[in-house]
Amino acid sequence: KAASEFFFHEMAARRGSHRREFAQSDGLTRFRHAGRYVGNVAMGLSCGYGERPLWTVLSSVGIIAVFTLIYAAVSVPLSIGQSILSYLTFSVQSFVSLVLGGPTVENTFVSFIGAAEGFLGGFMIALFVFTLTRSIAR
């Protein structure tokens, strides 16, 4: 537990150093530090730097919720209806599409959005397995 907490705080401190180096640099170096900062923030929020499996589950729920709202905003025509529950169902099906196969859609734009959600879903499932394995190994 102590090693996990130390690593978490070390990565948070590294995020701060990327932010400082971004402010002090220019040109391509500045762009590199910005990329490292954004990557550090994304890993911190999505899985707690590999130390918080629950954060990965919560991030996945957030992704599903955002895509549910996108599908509702675009008014995707679904065979199961046009309610928020049907959009939520479609979003969950798209999220796990890399594992189970995606739902069928007639619109190319909606198909692209579903594919993007499927890619994120596959990534989040792998990230969850990694963080869970890492937390069990400690």
Side-chain angles (χ1 to χ4, degrees):
K1 179 77 176 156
S4 170
E5 290 301 315
F6 179 76
F7 180 72
F8 186 86
H9 289 293
E10 178 185 1
M11 294 304 291
R14 190 176 295 177
R15 179 179 60 229
S17 78
H18 290 312
R19 186 179 59 240
R20 284 188 301 279
E21 290 172 4
F22 170 78
Q24 297 171 353
S25 62
D26 58 350
L28 231 50
T29 307
R30 186 177 186 130
F31 184 70
R32 184 179 41 164
H33 289 299
R36 288 180 179 172
Y37 176 78
V38 168
N40 189 295
V41 168
M43 288 303 290
L45 292 175
S46 65
C47 66
Y49 304 111
E51 301 294 329
R52 310 281 197 278
L54 180 61
W55 288 19
T56 307
V57 173
L58 296 176
S59 297
S60 298
V61 169
I63 290 170
I64 290 170
V66 166
F67 276 92
T68 298
L69 296 175
I70 290 171
Y71 295 135
V74 177
S75 296
V76 175
L78 300 174
S79 61
I80 57 176
Q82 303 297 115
S83 69
I84 195 70
L85 184 60
S86 61
Y87 292 126
L88 178 64
T89 303
F90 184 76
S91 183
V92 169
Q93 289 172 344
S94 296
F95 188 80
V96 297
S97 67
L98 195 62
V99 176
L100 302 175
T104 56
V105 204
E106 307 257 338
N107 187 329
T108 306
F109 177 70
V110 175
S111 180
F112 175 75
I113 294 172
E117 186 178 10
F119 173 77
L120 287 174
F123 177 75
M124 294 304 289
I125 290 168
L127 193 58
F128 175 71
V129 169
F130 169 75
T131 56
L132 186 62
T133 306
R134 185 176 171 124
S135 69
I136 290 173
R138 289 194 189 263

